[in-house]
Amino acid sequence: MTIAGAGPTGALLALGLARRHCSVILQDPLSQEQIQARSRAYALTHSSRRLLERLDLWEPLAEHLIPFQALRLEDQELHRVVMFGPGDLGGANRGVAAIGWILDHQPLMALLFDRLRSEAAVELRLASQRSPDAAGSRPDLEIACDGPGSPHRKQWQLPLWSRPYNQGCLTLKVRLRDPDPQLAYELFRAEGPLAVLPLGDRTFQIVWSAPLARCQERASLPGPRLLDRLAGVLPAGLEVEALLDQPCAVPLQLSLAPRLHQGHRLLVGEAGHRCHPVGGQGLNLCWRDVATLLDLVEGHASAAVPPSRIARRYGRRRLPDLILVGLATDALVRLFSNRQPLLLGVRRIALALLQRSPSLRRLALAAMTDGPLPHHR
């Protein structure tokens, strides 16, 4: 099998396939150092926890996983707050003392590359422009994990439905003064949602959505002026001490490839879909792609099933989850980035119901942590 793209999704998939006795070629035009050097963090939910446990990666990453035991959902327009805690978890997640975890990109990739280099079934072709399509005899599966601009998706002429948002996303890491180290924030503001995610040692990842031009302007500001702008939108009690990295502004879009396969070729991760970062669904959605494909490969290991059938089943299984999460995140952004009186009333009612109903909080948290479909939970 060949995989294009050695980021978190491609590397994790390569490791999972190698553990299932598949020979894998993992190719990326960037070097290992360039891939690992990215400054970003990921919010992991319980579906990702189970996948990492399954691949024996959870314990080795334990010292880098920053749990958050509470999530503060705040509508800053209506001054309404809903708190989620471990008691709102249900099913197989009940009893776990964390709603989710924040994991920095660099230790994750360092561990993945270390494990990949110890797998005899994996051939790494990093810093290579050579396409897996040219890798000799045709592989059983050709998998594109090469991101939202996927050259392989374009080469294979697979269609992509895409709708840009009028928002961009500004990411930066900051140090706060005396924060609660196990509390994460999702703040709904008129210009777009803002997430504040704990990284340990008073370090927090900020994911700040706003009109793209405004994000780009903020990214170009001198550090002190940017921190002044940020201080003006953070909740009371959160005080910024220092900027810790170079802010990055990127455009946001909702996109989906209506066909995730073509014969023996597959789109996995952001090569096939993207959603708004509200709720931290992005990487978890990509890793549910990985889990589904590993299930299919493992389930058909003892049968002579054509690779094209595995690819077709993968596409059928993943599309409902991708569509529902995409629609849900889109609806949240449109509802909470809007000042129309009617929608303000809808928001007021929805937040009041969440505040008063443990059952609704469990349902909402189940959808956020394990996906909206029951078989993912």
Side-chain angles (χ1 to χ4, degrees), residues 79-365:
H79 306 291
R80 295 290 184 94
V81 173
V82 178
M83 294 295 295
F84 291 88
D88 296 316
L89 292 169
N93 302 327
R94 188 173 292 132
V96 179
I99 292 178
W101 298 262
I102 309 300
L103 177 60
D104 194 75
H105 172 84
Q106 294 179 9
L108 169 64
M109 295 310 303
L111 177 64
L112 286 175
F113 280 126
D114 180 66
R115 293 294 173 86
L116 286 169
R117 291 189 183 281
S118 69
E119 289 285 345
V122 176
E123 179 185 344
L124 289 175
R125 294 182 182 172
L126 304 181
S128 169
Q129 295 295 332
R130 184 182 182 187
S131 168
D133 297 346
S137 60
R138 195 184 87 167
D140 291 336
L141 287 175
E142 294 179 53
I143 304 167
C145 295
D146 47 353
S150 174
H152 285 76
R153 184 190 65 238
K154 296 172 183 177
Q155 179 185 335
W156 299 340
Q157 298 183 341
L158 284 167
L160 183 74
W161 297 337
S162 182
R163 183 174 184 176
Y165 285 103
N166 61 1
Q167 293 178 353
C169 179
L170 178 67
T171 60
L172 60 151
K173 292 179 182 177
V174 298
R175 185 167 60 246
L176 301 180
R177 182 177 292 111
D178 299 324
D180 183 336
Q182 294 187 323
L183 176 60
Y185 298 78
E186 186 75 60
L187 312 174
F188 288 112
R189 310 178 63 251
E191 68 173 3
L194 187 152
V196 185
L197 308 172
L199 292 172
D201 194 27
R202 298 190 295 128
T203 300
F204 281 72
Q205 174 86 49
I206 306 295
V207 183
W208 191 355
S209 299
L212 179 58
R214 200 174 299 170
C215 290
Q216 293 169 334
E217 183 263 335
R218 288 168 178 165
S220 67
L221 289 174
R225 288 186 60 194
L226 175 59
L227 294 185
D228 285 343
R229 297 273 187 95
L230 178 61
V233 301
L234 290 179
L238 290 185
E239 298 181 38
V240 185
E241 278 192 348
L243 177 65
L244 302 178
D245 70 349
Q246 177 62 45
C248 177
V250 296
L252 296 177
Q253 66 180 27
L254 176 66
S255 62
L256 176 67
R259 290 184 59 212
L260 296 172
H261 73 282
Q262 180 194 74
H264 67 292
R265 294 165 168 167
L266 282 176
L267 303 178
V268 174
E270 289 193 332
H273 53 84
R274 285 188 87 187
C275 64
H276 197 284
V278 63
Q281 295 300 301
L283 185 69
N284 300 287
L285 203 57
C286 295
W287 282 7
R288 290 206 291 274
D289 292 352
V290 172
T292 298
L293 186 52
L294 293 181
D295 286 343
L296 288 168
V297 169
E298 188 171 23
H300 295 306
S302 59
V305 177
S308 59
R309 185 178 300 176
I310 293 177
R312 188 165 58 250
R313 289 177 178 174
Y314 164 83
R316 284 204 304 263
R317 288 194 187 183
R318 289 304 300 141
L319 277 177
D321 186 28
L322 299 177
I323 292 170
L324 288 173
V325 170
L327 291 176
T329 54
D330 185 71
L332 279 174
V333 172
R334 296 183 187 281
L335 176 62
F336 284 92
S337 302
N338 201 307
R339 290 178 173 173
Q340 292 184 8
L342 178 61
L343 294 181
L344 288 175
V346 171
R347 282 156 55 178
R348 189 174 286 109
I349 292 170
L351 292 170
L353 290 173
L354 279 173
Q355 283 176 321
R356 297 172 186 173
S357 173
S359 297
L360 281 179
R361 289 199 301 276
R362 279 195 294 273
L363 183 63
L365 200 55

